[in-house]
Amino acid sequence: MLSIEELSTKVNTRFGRLLDQSIMAYGELTILVAPQHLLEVCLALRDEPEFDFKLLIDVCGVDYLQYGLSEWETNSATTTGFERGVEVDVFKNASAKEPRFASVYHLLSLTNNQRIRIRVLLNETELKVPSVVNIWPAANWFEREAFDLFGIMYTGHPDLRRLLTDYGFVGHPFRKDFPLIGNLEARYDATLQRVVYEPVSITPRILEPKVIRRDNRYQVGE
Amino acid sequence: MEKMPEIRNYTFNFGPQHPAAHGVLRLILEVDGETIVTADPHVGLLHRATEKLAESKPYNQNIGYMDRLDYVSMMCNEHGYVLAIEKLLGIAPPVRAQYIRVMFDEITRILNHLLWLGSHGLDIGAMTMFLYAFREREDLLDCYEAVSGTRMHATYYRPGGVYRDLPAKMPQYKVSKWHDAKQVAEMNENRQGSLLDFIWSFTERFPKRVDEYESLLTENRIWKQRTVGIGVIGPEQAIAMGLTGPMLRGSGVEWDLRKKQPYEVYDQLDFAIPVGVTGDCYDRYLVRVDEMRQSNHIIRQCVQWLRNNPGPVMTDNHKVAPPTRVNMKEDMEAMIHHFKLMSEGYCLPEGEAYAAIEHPKGEFGVYLVSDGANKPYRLKIRAAGFSHLAALETLVKGHMISDVVAVLSSLDIVFGEIDR
């Protein structure tokens, strides 16, 4: 069995210019591929015996809109202490991380006992990536889910319908700018004798603010 | 001349409210006579956006959501999530906690397979199986209750170990208007010792119970007529469709993460990987039944180890795990740790990790993206049942309507994890 470092060398020599970046972290190999090279790389990873990634484990979307932003800045302490409540619209500035979206693929090779992760970064203006459904049929539902939740268009997908959300749902709920409480709520109306949709009646609140600690207290395990 | 009758395919709904739909599956079937032409599963009726909810909560508060994914194999879901956090933090639980986790993973596997066997039997028409399976499940749920206080949604695994050590005595039945003193004494007979004694007595009788199930089903003519050659999927196709776990092993692919990419202490335990031959419903049944025997074997090894090796069950890194209650009374540092952990939680270093375990249903993976905060930035749960249900159309095409029920229940799907 190859070690993950050897796999990394092999991937880098084989694909070279096709990769934007290759990252080793936590014993996992991640390669960054531009959308136009995705199919070529995937096909080679599946069919060439030294890779042989025949099993597609997962496809998912990621939205980096609020990446690295915390909801609670503790730098400016006052004499009266910290305010516990946090406004919901704290994210006035979007994250510096560009592009905003990513489509992430996890592959597994049964013969070589290896895993690899492919990340394709996507701009919000051009949220399109070629579908890998012809390479791995397993991608079908995973891509439908990522389309449903993030609005990523998988071009060439034979049946790109919504998968998890309600019939007639508007919006892409897992985007970071979609509110956690949603936009509409449903209830049964006894007089109309049908289910009606109304704007949500609850107000969002943050119970535990998101904080980012970078000081050495949190350098655990080193 | 008489006009030929116009023959059209007929489309109808299977579910969402149908006892054989295993929850809330709306399956749109197009049939030509009794033969399936297309099957289009509509899922999402149980979608609770677990992954989005997790983004708004500190890490430890999400463990409870994991139980509610696949609600018949609760602790295994927790295990996948906890492993991903531990990978990013770079910590490992004490060995005793690893053995406890393995033991409860296998108890969970038996729980899952028993429920599967019961409902699979029920779907095909073997009503008795359901009652027998629930009889054994009751004992195992008592183990859950003894260790975590709840019968199902345990929230027992924590990053850095498990919530607490195994209890030294089992809860007892009490006399009620349904059970008199004599009956209660009988019911409490194997509950006199510790939890490990109770589990040991379970593993003594369980193989015989599996023999009973097998004598009911394995050579049963009706059972074989309903399952042999139904929903066949070959190894290449199974891999292409992303099947894992018993679904893949039923097709003859010897792949088990417990052996191939061992986590916790699986590499120190003795067990076999059962594989099927043809990849039909019958083979998947045989694989799962054999897995129950293997799990029983693993549990016995764990019980023996745990009896001889007392020790801590939680890491002593108090940036992650709360200190003991006694320490908190006297130690200022411990109190601060407790306060910070219970309010803010702990931060993970920036990065991304994928941790996978051999869940009773297949590969359960957690892809965790952290931006250095006390909450997950993105949590993606890779549930085995999701891929299995996606392969349903391939499996049922060309079969009869009644076979859809057999194939569907042989997938072992639970909507908690498919819809998330």
Short mmCIF file of all heavy atoms in Angstrom, two decimals, chain B residues 78-99:
data_model
loop_
_atom_site.label_atom_id
_atom_site.label_comp_id
_atom_site.label_asym_id
_atom_site.label_seq_id
_atom_site.Cartn_x
_atom_site.Cartn_y
_atom_site.Cartn_z
N GLU B 78 -22.59 9.17 16.26
CA GLU B 78 -21.77 10.02 17.14
C GLU B 78 -20.30 9.74 16.90
O GLU B 78 -19.48 10.66 16.90
CB GLU B 78 -22.06 9.70 18.61
CG GLU B 78 -23.42 10.10 19.07
CD GLU B 78 -23.70 9.58 20.47
OE1 GLU B 78 -22.74 9.25 21.18
OE2 GLU B 78 -24.87 9.48 20.84
N HIS B 79 -20.00 8.47 16.70
CA HIS B 79 -18.60 8.07 16.56
C HIS B 79 -17.94 8.78 15.37
O HIS B 79 -16.84 9.31 15.48
CB HIS B 79 -18.53 6.56 16.39
CG HIS B 79 -17.20 5.98 16.74
ND1 HIS B 79 -16.96 4.65 16.82
CD2 HIS B 79 -16.03 6.57 17.01
CE1 HIS B 79 -15.70 4.45 17.15
NE2 HIS B 79 -15.12 5.60 17.26
N GLY B 80 -18.63 8.80 14.23
CA GLY B 80 -18.08 9.45 13.05
C GLY B 80 -17.80 10.93 13.30
O GLY B 80 -16.73 11.45 12.97
N TYR B 81 -18.74 11.60 13.93
CA TYR B 81 -18.62 13.04 14.20
C TYR B 81 -17.47 13.31 15.17
O TYR B 81 -16.63 14.20 14.96
CB TYR B 81 -19.94 13.54 14.77
CG TYR B 81 -19.97 14.98 15.18
CD1 TYR B 81 -19.81 15.99 14.24
CD2 TYR B 81 -20.16 15.35 16.51
CE1 TYR B 81 -19.83 17.32 14.62
CE2 TYR B 81 -20.19 16.67 16.89
CZ TYR B 81 -20.03 17.65 15.94
OH TYR B 81 -20.05 18.97 16.32
N VAL B 82 -17.41 12.51 16.24
CA VAL B 82 -16.40 12.69 17.26
C VAL B 82 -15.00 12.42 16.68
O VAL B 82 -14.04 13.13 16.98
CB VAL B 82 -16.73 11.76 18.45
CG1 VAL B 82 -15.55 11.58 19.34
CG2 VAL B 82 -17.90 12.31 19.24
N LEU B 83 -14.90 11.44 15.81
CA LEU B 83 -13.61 11.13 15.19
C LEU B 83 -13.10 12.30 14.34
O LEU B 83 -11.92 12.60 14.34
CB LEU B 83 -13.70 9.88 14.32
CG LEU B 83 -13.59 8.54 15.03
CD1 LEU B 83 -13.65 7.41 14.01
CD2 LEU B 83 -12.30 8.43 15.81
N ALA B 84 -14.02 12.95 13.62
CA ALA B 84 -13.61 14.08 12.78
C ALA B 84 -13.06 15.21 13.66
O ALA B 84 -12.06 15.83 13.32
CB ALA B 84 -14.79 14.56 11.95
N ILE B 85 -13.73 15.47 14.78
CA ILE B 85 -13.25 16.53 15.68
C ILE B 85 -11.89 16.16 16.25
O ILE B 85 -10.97 16.98 16.30
CB ILE B 85 -14.27 16.74 16.82
CG1 ILE B 85 -15.58 17.28 16.26
CG2 ILE B 85 -13.72 17.71 17.87
CD1 ILE B 85 -16.67 17.40 17.28
N GLU B 86 -11.75 14.90 16.65
CA GLU B 86 -10.48 14.46 17.23
C GLU B 86 -9.35 14.53 16.21
O GLU B 86 -8.21 14.83 16.56
CB GLU B 86 -10.61 13.04 17.78
CG GLU B 86 -11.40 13.00 19.08
CD GLU B 86 -11.70 11.61 19.56
OE1 GLU B 86 -11.38 10.64 18.84
OE2 GLU B 86 -12.26 11.48 20.66
N LYS B 87 -9.69 14.27 14.96
CA LYS B 87 -8.67 14.35 13.93
C LYS B 87 -8.15 15.79 13.80
O LYS B 87 -6.95 16.02 13.73
CB LYS B 87 -9.29 13.90 12.60
CG LYS B 87 -8.29 13.52 11.54
CD LYS B 87 -9.01 12.86 10.39
CE LYS B 87 -8.08 12.22 9.41
NZ LYS B 87 -8.78 11.53 8.34
N LEU B 88 -9.07 16.75 13.80
CA LEU B 88 -8.65 18.15 13.67
C LEU B 88 -7.92 18.63 14.92
O LEU B 88 -7.00 19.43 14.85
CB LEU B 88 -9.86 19.04 13.39
CG LEU B 88 -10.28 19.14 11.92
CD1 LEU B 88 -11.58 19.89 11.80
CD2 LEU B 88 -9.23 19.84 11.09
N LEU B 89 -8.36 18.17 16.08
CA LEU B 89 -7.71 18.59 17.32
C LEU B 89 -6.38 17.88 17.54
O LEU B 89 -5.55 18.34 18.29
CB LEU B 89 -8.61 18.30 18.52
CG LEU B 89 -9.74 19.27 18.83
CD1 LEU B 89 -10.61 18.70 19.93
CD2 LEU B 89 -9.20 20.61 19.27
N GLY B 90 -6.22 16.73 16.90
CA GLY B 90 -5.01 15.95 17.10
C GLY B 90 -4.95 15.29 18.46
O GLY B 90 -3.89 15.16 19.04
N ILE B 91 -6.10 14.87 18.98
CA ILE B 91 -6.09 14.16 20.26
C ILE B 91 -6.61 12.75 20.07
O ILE B 91 -7.32 12.47 19.11
CB ILE B 91 -6.96 14.87 21.33
CG1 ILE B 91 -8.40 15.02 20.83
CG2 ILE B 91 -6.37 16.22 21.69
CD1 ILE B 91 -9.36 15.44 21.91
N ALA B 92 -6.24 11.87 20.98
CA ALA B 92 -6.76 10.50 20.94
C ALA B 92 -7.32 10.16 22.32
O ALA B 92 -6.77 10.58 23.34
CB ALA B 92 -5.64 9.52 20.59
N PRO B 93 -8.43 9.44 22.35
CA PRO B 93 -9.02 9.08 23.64
C PRO B 93 -8.17 8.01 24.33
O PRO B 93 -7.41 7.30 23.67
CB PRO B 93 -10.39 8.55 23.28
CG PRO B 93 -10.28 8.12 21.87
CD PRO B 93 -9.24 8.97 21.23
N PRO B 94 -8.33 7.84 25.65
CA PRO B 94 -7.64 6.75 26.35
C PRO B 94 -8.07 5.39 25.80
O PRO B 94 -9.17 5.26 25.24
CB PRO B 94 -8.09 6.90 27.80
CG PRO B 94 -8.67 8.25 27.91
CD PRO B 94 -9.15 8.65 26.57
N VAL B 95 -7.22 4.38 25.97
CA VAL B 95 -7.49 3.07 25.37
C VAL B 95 -8.82 2.49 25.89
O VAL B 95 -9.58 1.88 25.14
CB VAL B 95 -6.35 2.08 25.68
CG1 VAL B 95 -6.51 0.82 24.86
CG2 VAL B 95 -5.03 2.72 25.39
N ARG B 96 -9.08 2.69 27.17
CA ARG B 96 -10.32 2.14 27.71
C ARG B 96 -11.54 2.75 26.99
O ARG B 96 -12.49 2.05 26.68
CB ARG B 96 -10.40 2.40 29.22
CG ARG B 96 -11.57 1.69 29.88
CD ARG B 96 -11.55 1.86 31.38
NE ARG B 96 -12.82 1.50 31.98
CZ ARG B 96 -13.18 0.26 32.28
NH1 ARG B 96 -12.36 -0.74 32.05
NH2 ARG B 96 -14.36 0.00 32.80
N ALA B 97 -11.46 4.06 26.73
CA ALA B 97 -12.57 4.69 26.00
C ALA B 97 -12.68 4.12 24.61
O ALA B 97 -13.79 3.94 24.08
CB ALA B 97 -12.34 6.19 25.94
N GLN B 98 -11.55 3.77 24.00
CA GLN B 98 -11.60 3.20 22.66
C GLN B 98 -12.29 1.84 22.68
O GLN B 98 -13.08 1.52 21.80
CB GLN B 98 -10.19 3.07 22.09
CG GLN B 98 -9.50 4.41 21.96
CD GLN B 98 -8.23 4.32 21.14
OE1 GLN B 98 -7.97 3.34 20.47
NE2 GLN B 98 -7.42 5.36 21.22
N TYR B 99 -11.98 1.04 23.71
CA TYR B 99 -12.65 -0.25 23.83
C TYR B 99 -14.15 -0.08 24.08
O TYR B 99 -14.98 -0.81 23.53
CB TYR B 99 -12.02 -1.10 24.94
CG TYR B 99 -10.89 -1.97 24.44
CD1 TYR B 99 -9.58 -1.54 24.53
CD2 TYR B 99 -11.14 -3.21 23.85
CE1 TYR B 99 -8.53 -2.31 24.06
CE2 TYR B 99 -10.11 -3.99 23.37
CZ TYR B 99 -8.80 -3.54 23.48
OH TYR B 99 -7.78 -4.31 23.01
#
